[in-house]
Amino acid sequence: KLFLRFDVPFNKISLAFRFLPDEIYRIVYEEVDESDVSLYTFPSSQSSGRDHEEYRFPRAGTPNAKSKLKLVQFRLSENLRITDICIKELQCPLTFAFPWLEYIVRVGWTPDSKYVWAQLLDRPQQRLELVLLPVDNFCEIYSSLSTSQHCGTEGGNHAAASTHQSTTVPSTQTQQQQQQTNAQSSSTGWRSPLDKSTRPMQVIYSETSSSWVNVHELLYFIELTDQEVTFLWASEETGFRHLTLPSVDGIGSTLMPRIVSKVALTAGRWEVLGRNVWYDRVHRLVYFMALRETPLEKHLYVVSLAQPTVLRLLTMPGYSFTVDFNDDCTIFLQTYCNIYTLPSWELIRISHGGAEKEPSGPPAASVVSVSVDALELISVGYLGEGGPSENTQYNPSIHSPRISSGDVLYAMVFKPHNFTLGVKYPTVLNVYGGPEVQTVNNTFKGMRQLRMHMLASQGYCVVCVDSRGSRHRGVEFESYIRCRMGTVELADQVEVLRILADQLGYIDMDRVAIHGWSYGGYLSLMGLVQYPDVFKLSIAGAPVTSWEYYDTGYTERYMDLPDNNRSGYVAGSVLNYIQKFPDEDNRLLIIHGLIDENVHFYHTSQLVNRLVRANKPYQLQVYPNERHSLRNLEASKHYETKLLSFLQNHL
């Protein structure tokens, strides 16, 4: 994994290479050691050559890969050849400073290129810390130079980060001596005494959660000096992800963030989306995407650092938007649609009213605070204009039933194309039901929902429900499934299905099938076990059958480690309910790719083995050359045909 930093705009890199041959370029990267991770063998996807492939895969409760950050540094010669290569690593390993560290989840560069920042996560994923790593904390371990005295210097003017010879990688004895020196460092346990002149690493933010920490991309450094670090950050401490503006006391020797102030920029029972934040440094404006109007629509908002929590909506309710800005936040491209309207692409220019003429001088002197109400949005033109779909009667409808717990859930219904008032139709519950996914929103349902449209065209009603545990509804809503996956989601799905059947009048509750892929395949199996009277058929694609067979990062985040939640793993395993599968033929179809690298075919093989031993009927469709997602057109066609055939013959 490479994290590149060039001190020039990316589109000018070639110019920098040509005219600045003495400049230093650095790449920070993550080195991963998988030697302790279990090795699994799969049939090969290649038609010739090896007959098997091998993967490292850490199942829940087993050792993970070990990671460390390293830095490669180089120059360019006059003829653009890479020279003076120098590889460095941290003088003090991150695992020494942070013994609880399990995952390095995000890495990047500060704007001045003097620091690498990293987000560190513990194994239960309930503790996250944001740390600054000064570049001079990286110590040389290899150099292509005959000596290393200039490795890491800017034009030979700065002292080298390390003084040992580096024509070869240091010996084990040298490494051991360095580790011993690190171990003798101060009681803070993180600053190496090898070079007293180096600046120490510093934690600038820490967050914990009783459920899990959702990692996001919302980090932007506003000010970074020896006296103060101010940055945009998002936190779920209030129960919903919101933007904050923490200020931390200047760079110092501490592993505890010394927060001087923390200003809340947004607040409320709604979520700021975790992907993008844009900062207009001249006008001190923060642009971001959020779900304030409704969890079903993504909108663009702006807030001024001079007026925290005073937000302005910049996009039109009734549509859902995606947005991308230029570097100085003067123009953005918005893509928008709703469930009835195809996407449109419009270019918008931002006018700042009386602050159009920026003062000259350095950036610190060029700041002009602007009220969000002073902004004017000017349409430059359309790159493409959507408009209503041709067959509006085929667009799905969105419903918001309130279930017995008091929660409002969202559902989407595709009516059969041959709909006639008074007739009840066979119904397919298209389920996912797991975390990190939202299936119902106010966007146009086109290419990605072709299967639902196909089923509706063949006379089926198709229903999708976002039950408790799905995303964009806050911490409490999402963490409803913590430590009990597979045991609570279907109660919500079935309750909503019954409410819709009563309200709409055309869902035939005697002919309901459940179908999903991956987590949805898992719940499709659980549906036939837990609600055999509701679901006449189950079609389970690439299903998890036991969480102990799935990976550490995903499983442990939601289920904790197996040793800490043995009852949850037992209750959530399909393999413990074999006797509850129906004895009637043609009620269960399992579909799986033989070389699935995500949910291994082993899940299905264990299920099939136990169904056979219990003399339970099932159908199995295997795709020998397919992974977790079907990638070959022939396999996709066969799958759609098999799905429709099973429904038509048995529902």
Side-chain angles (χ1 to χ4, degrees):
K1 300 178 181 179
L2 301 181
F3 307 93
L4 284 74
R5 174 68 190 188
F6 294 95
D7 297 325
V8 290
F10 193 76
N11 60 350
K12 297 180 181 178
I13 286 176
S14 59
L15 294 178
F17 283 3
R18 185 173 299 122
F19 297 113
L20 300 173
D22 290 330
E23 286 293 306
I24 290 178
Y25 298 91
R26 297 185 178 99
I27 302 173
V28 62
Y29 63 97
E30 181 181 2
E31 183 180 86
V32 180
D33 177 3
E34 293 186 318
S35 56
D36 291 337
V37 179
S38 299
L39 189 64
Y40 294 94
T41 301
F42 299 86
S44 176
S45 61
Q46 306 300 319
S47 57
S48 61
R50 296 182 304 166
D51 59 358
H52 69 277
E53 298 175 357
E54 293 180 337
Y55 289 94
R56 299 282 181 177
F57 191 91
R59 287 182 177 175
T62 67
N64 272 321
K66 297 179 177 64
S67 297
K68 63 171 67 175
L69 289 183
K70 287 190 173 182
L71 187 149
V72 60
Q73 185 171 287
F74 59 91
R75 298 178 189 271
L76 292 175
S77 66
E78 291 289 350
N79 60 357
L80 302 185
R81 294 181 64 87
I82 294 176
T83 63
D84 299 352
I85 300 170
C86 179
I87 296 177
K88 301 182 176 185
E89 66 180 12
L90 287 167
Q91 294 184 29
C92 174
L94 288 174
T95 50
F96 189 97
F98 308 96
W100 47 264
L101 171 62
E102 189 74 18
Y103 303 105
I104 304 173
V105 291
R106 296 289 187 276
V107 176
W109 290 90
T110 57
D112 60 7
S113 305
K114 294 180 180 178
Y115 299 89
V116 173
W117 60 261
Q119 295 183 39
L120 312 178
L121 199 62
D122 67 349
R123 180 144 187 173
Q125 302 182 51
Q126 295 177 320
R127 176 181 182 178
L128 182 139
E129 295 196 348
L130 176 61
V131 60
L132 287 181
L133 308 170
V135 170
D136 58 15
N137 262 225
F138 287 86
C139 170
E140 173 196 337
I141 60 172
Y142 167 79
S143 174
S144 63
L145 299 174
S146 58
T147 64
S148 59
Q149 65 185 70
H150 296 301
C151 185
T153 64
E154 302 280 348
N157 294 327
H158 296 171
S162 178
T163 58
H164 65 265
Q165 298 294 320
S166 59
T167 52
T168 60
V169 176
S171 66
T172 303
Q173 182 178 358
T174 304
Q175 292 175 334
Q176 290 173 347
Q177 290 172 349
Q178 180 172 326
Q179 292 170 358
Q180 291 171 0
T181 306
N182 287 339
Q184 295 168 1
S185 60
S186 63
S187 59
T188 55
W190 60 274
R191 182 174 182 176
S192 169
L194 287 178
D195 188 342
K196 299 296 185 181
S197 66
T198 61
R199 291 165 293 177
M201 66 177 74
Q202 181 182 6
V203 174
I204 60 173
Y205 201 89
S206 181
E207 185 167 341
T208 59
S209 172
S210 59
S211 52
W212 60 81
V213 176
N214 285 311
V215 180
H216 58 75
E217 313 286 346
L218 304 183
L219 172 64
Y220 191 98
F221 288 92
I222 305 293
E223 184 174 359
L224 184 59
T225 68
D226 290 339
Q227 292 74 40
E228 182 182 7
V229 182
T230 303
F231 55 99
L232 291 170
W233 179 254
S235 168
E236 291 183 317
E237 293 171 347
T238 65
F240 292 83
R241 184 189 296 119
H242 282 291
L243 288 176
T244 63
L245 186 68
S247 290
V248 182
D249 203 3
I251 302 300
S253 55
T254 176
L255 290 185
M256 294 293 293
R258 300 183 297 187
I259 296 178
V260 177
S261 66
K262 185 168 67 172
V263 179
L265 299 179
T266 64
R269 295 185 60 80
W270 48 273
E271 176 183 294
V272 172
L273 296 176
R275 291 293 298 274
N276 297 108
V277 62
W278 301 271
Y279 181 59
D280 181 346
R281 186 173 293 275
V282 172
H283 301 100
R284 302 185 71 208
L285 297 174
V286 180
Y287 297 90
F288 61 95
M289 302 296 293
L291 305 169
R292 188 184 69 172
E293 315 310 305
T294 166
L296 304 183
E297 294 174 8
K298 299 177 181 179
H299 285 284
L300 176 65
Y301 301 83
V302 62
V303 63
S304 171
L305 297 189
Q307 295 177 293
T309 70
V310 178
L311 310 183
R312 179 178 169 187
L313 172 66
L314 298 179
T315 46
M316 185 186 306
Y319 296 83
S320 191
F321 289 75
T322 60
V323 167
D324 198 13
F325 276 83
N326 64 344
D327 289 340
D328 57 3
C329 295
T330 57
I331 295 177
F332 66 88
L333 176 66
Q334 62 179 19
T335 305
Y336 62 92
C337 63
N338 62 24
I339 205 163
Y340 307 109
T341 309
L342 279 73
S344 295
W345 293 266
E346 185 181 11
L347 197 62
I348 303 293
R349 182 167 64 86
I350 300 175
S351 172
H352 300 90
E356 282 301 310
K357 294 183 179 180
E358 278 56 335
S360 60
S366 304
V367 174
V368 179
S369 294
V370 177
S371 168
V372 296
D373 294 329
L375 298 184
E376 182 182 357
L377 303 184
I378 303 168
S379 177
V380 177
Y382 283 86
L383 302 181
E385 199 165 358
S389 58
E390 293 182 4
N391 299 302
T392 55
Q393 70 272 24
Y394 297 153
N395 294 325
S397 56
I398 294 179
H399 305 263
S400 52
R402 186 179 299 274
I403 60 174
S404 56
S405 67
D407 293 282
V408 172
L409 303 184
Y410 293 100
M412 183 167 59
V413 178
F414 294 76
K415 289 172 65 174
H417 292 186
N418 61 344
F419 176 77
T420 301
L421 196 63
V423 177
K424 292 183 181 291
Y425 292 88
T427 298
V428 177
L429 179 65
N430 191 82
V431 65
Y432 184 79
E436 302 181 44
V437 170
Q438 181 188 47
T439 62
V440 182
N441 50 40
N442 191 22
T443 60
F444 187 74
K445 308 305 174 186
M447 292 292 291
R448 295 187 177 183
Q449 290 77 30
L450 282 180
R451 184 176 304 110
M452 273 75 90
H453 288 293
M454 180 272 291
L455 292 173
S457 73
Q458 297 300 311
Y460 295 92
C461 175
V462 184
V463 177
C464 303
V465 179
D466 283 334
S467 48
R468 283 175 288 180
S470 59
R471 73 190 312 191
H472 297 325
R473 300 292 301 276
V475 173
E476 181 180 356
F477 190 93
E478 286 186 31
S479 60
Y480 177 71
I481 61 173
R482 175 164 170 76
C483 291
R484 49 182 187 170
M485 291 201 301
T487 63
V488 296
E489 305 93 328
L490 285 166
D492 285 1
Q493 298 273 336
V494 169
E495 185 174 358
V496 170
L497 184 63
R498 285 170 170 158
I499 292 173
L500 292 175
D502 291 340
Q503 291 178 349
L504 301 178
Y506 54 81
I507 293 176
D508 188 347
M509 287 300 293
D510 291 328
R511 291 188 294 165
V512 177
I514 183 170
H515 172 52
W517 199 270
S518 193
Y519 200 105
Y522 166 62
L523 288 188
S524 296
L525 295 174
M526 282 295 198
L528 201 57
V529 165
Q530 297 174 7
Y531 295 94
D533 55 331
V534 173
F535 300 114
K536 185 177 180 181
L537 304 182
S538 170
I539 304 170
V544 171
T545 60
S546 172
W547 289 113
E548 293 191 66
Y549 302 152
Y550 201 56
D551 79 349
T552 53
Y554 184 95
T555 307
E556 294 171 4
R557 177 162 60 249
Y558 307 116
M559 290 290 284
D560 204 342
L561 275 73
D563 288 345
N564 299 338
N565 183 27
R566 182 55 56 189
S567 61
Y569 278 80
V570 170
S573 173
V574 175
L575 305 180
N576 293 322
Y577 302 101
I578 297 299
Q579 293 302 328
K580 292 190 175 182
F581 277 92
D583 293 319
E584 300 89 356
D585 281 330
N586 303 317
R587 293 189 63 182
L588 173 60
L589 171 62
I590 307 165
I591 305 172
H592 211 141
L594 188 61
I595 57 173
D596 190 327
E597 80 293 359
N598 185 352
V599 181
H600 301 162
F601 188 79
Y602 185 79
H603 287 262
T604 287
S605 70
Q606 291 300 298
L607 173 63
V608 167
N609 185 46
R610 300 192 188 200
L611 289 172
V612 169
R613 284 159 52 186
N615 199 27
K616 296 287 184 176
Y618 68 92
Q619 291 191 32
L620 175 64
Q621 177 61 55
V622 177
Y623 292 101
N625 293 322
E626 295 299 327
R627 300 194 185 275
H628 193 55
S629 298
L630 303 185
R631 304 177 185 181
N632 295 311
L633 180 61
E634 295 80 6
S636 296
K637 287 181 178 180
H638 189 278
Y639 158 58
E640 302 292 351
T641 304
K642 183 71 174 180
L643 169 67
L644 185 59
S645 172
F646 193 74
L647 291 171
Q648 290 178 333
N649 290 333
H650 307 299
L651 190 62

